Amino acid sequence: MTSAERRQQILAHICSHGSGKVDEFVAQYNVSAVTIRHDLNVLEREGCVFRCYGGATLNPNFAFDQPLYRKDQLNRGAKQSIAQVAASLIQDGEAVILDSGTTIGLMPQYLTNKKHLVVMTNALNTAYQLSQFDNIDLHVVGGSLRRASCSLIGNHGEQQIRSYLFDKLFLGVDGFDLQAGVTTPDNHEAQVNRAMCEVARQVIAVTDSSKFGRKSFCMIRAANQIDVLVTDSNIPHVTHQALIEMGVEVILADQTVN
């Protein structure tokens, strides 16, 4: 077992139990207490845990991986408004990428009146919805299934994405932090997302305000590299102002949709 694999298992234990003890991990993995303390320190630097005497506790603000069906029920009203406003940014004749995510998964219903769209997505739920629309030339990213997000990941998909150029990318968010940027718990998903960013003329982050102040393992895009952010009015004022100063256009969906 590598140190990275051991840290993932330690983190999984802390996620399940809320905390973990150095002595428990020493016995389980047959390594020294110094090694376990180093593992916990690494997890703390990544923002996953808080160190405490004899072990570590879970950081509740860390963006952990959750199944799509569970995330879909959270902040549903805000997500609907955000999805509607995000979809309104798509113009007839454009080529766009729709990333995975519960908010972006609500966008297809607002694309029925658009004309001559080219849409690429790595999300199976989004692709299924778009397959019913004759007005959309649909391209689905190939790869291996990441069940938690119902998305396709892998090197094949990255190469496929890099074969095209797009007007806009609508990027899903697991965590959004001013320092860490847009992050996700899965490294393979992050690699696909970074490829999407490289081939899009405009990067539009789409998220409800619950994701602000959270961060996860893998950075997709720095905060100042986002062109547009579509969110709701509960975005922290400090974050809102900082993004504007960075040159990011911030659209508050619940103040836009009637």
Side-chain angles (χ1 to χ4, degrees), residues 1-16:
M1 179 183 294
T2 67
S3 58
E5 291 170 338
R6 184 179 61 249
R7 285 194 286 271
Q8 285 186 342
Q9 291 189 14
I10 289 172
L11 179 58
H13 174 93
I14 295 174
C15 285
S16 298

Side-chain angles (χ1 to χ4, degrees), residues 101-151:
T102 55
T103 305
I104 293 176
L106 296 171
M107 288 178 62
Q109 63 188 302
Y110 302 113
L111 299 179
T112 54
N113 295 324
K114 304 290 184 180
K115 298 177 181 178
H116 309 300
L117 295 184
V118 176
V119 179
M120 176 175 279
T121 184
N122 67 325
L124 293 182
N125 58 318
T126 299
Y128 176 75
Q129 294 179 72
L130 293 173
S131 67
Q132 305 171 59
F133 300 161
D134 292 334
N135 59 322
I136 292 176
D137 180 9
L138 176 62
H139 297 253
V140 181
V141 176
S144 303
L145 177 64
R146 181 187 171 215
R147 286 180 171 81
S149 60
C150 202
S151 61

Side-chain angles (χ1 to χ4, degrees), residues 29-256:
Y29 296 106
N30 194 29
V31 295
S32 69
V34 171
T35 297
I36 294 298
R37 290 191 190 99
H38 175 71
D39 288 340
L40 295 177
N41 288 338
V42 170
L43 292 174
E44 184 178 49
R45 287 196 297 271
E46 292 176 344
C48 312
V49 303
F50 294 127
R51 291 285 277 115
C52 63
Y53 180 77
T57 59
L58 187 65
N59 177 0
N61 290 321
F62 190 78
F64 293 101
D65 214 358
Q66 297 185 64
L68 191 70
Y69 73 88
R70 186 176 299 166
K71 293 191 290 186
D72 188 51
Q73 303 306 312
L74 302 174
N75 304 313
R76 182 81 177 188
K79 289 177 179 179
Q80 284 282 4
S81 298
I82 293 166
Q84 184 176 357
V85 170
S88 73
L89 301 178
I90 299 175
Q91 305 300 315
D92 292 344
E94 287 191 323
V96 302
I97 306 176
L98 298 184
D99 182 24
S100 62
T102 55
T103 305
I104 293 176
L106 296 171
M107 288 178 62
Q109 63 188 302
Y110 302 113
L111 299 179
T112 54
N113 295 324
K114 304 290 184 180
K115 298 177 181 178
H116 309 300
L117 295 184
V118 176
V119 179
M120 176 175 279
T121 184
N122 67 325
L124 293 182
N125 58 318
T126 299
Y128 176 75
Q129 294 179 72
L130 293 173
S131 67
Q132 305 171 59
F133 300 161
D134 292 334
N135 59 322
I136 292 176
D137 180 9
L138 176 62
H139 297 253
V140 181
V141 176
S144 303
L145 177 64
R146 181 187 171 215
R147 286 180 171 81
S149 60
C150 202
S151 61
L152 295 166
I153 56 176
N155 292 332
H156 175 74
E158 294 173 44
Q159 294 173 9
Q160 179 185 356
I161 290 165
R162 290 192 172 98
S163 300
Y164 299 90
L165 293 173
F166 294 88
D167 296 297
K168 293 165 182 168
L169 160 64
F170 292 85
L171 182 64
V173 172
D174 285 300
F176 196 118
D177 181 83
L178 288 175
Q179 283 71 48
V182 179
T183 57
T184 181
D186 189 271
N187 180 54
H188 299 293
E189 184 98 42
Q191 290 174 350
V192 169
N193 289 156
R194 286 194 289 267
M196 292 175 173
C197 290
E198 291 172 11
V199 299
R201 182 175 55 82
Q202 188 177 44
V203 177
I204 302 170
V206 179
T207 180
D208 68 272
S209 57
S210 70
K211 307 296 178 59
F212 294 111
R214 295 184 182 181
K215 56 185 177 180
S216 196
F217 294 115
C218 311
M219 190 180 88
I220 298 169
R221 196 78 165 171
N224 63 0
Q225 293 179 306
I226 299 297
D227 298 302
V228 180
L229 170 67
V230 185
T231 187
D232 59 75
S233 58
N234 289 322
I235 179 175
H237 178 73
V238 172
T239 302
H240 191 175
Q241 290 303 120
L243 290 170
I244 291 173
E245 291 172 5
M246 291 177 187
V248 178
E249 180 184 357
V250 179
I251 301 175
L252 303 181
D254 48 358
Q255 295 182 3
T256 304

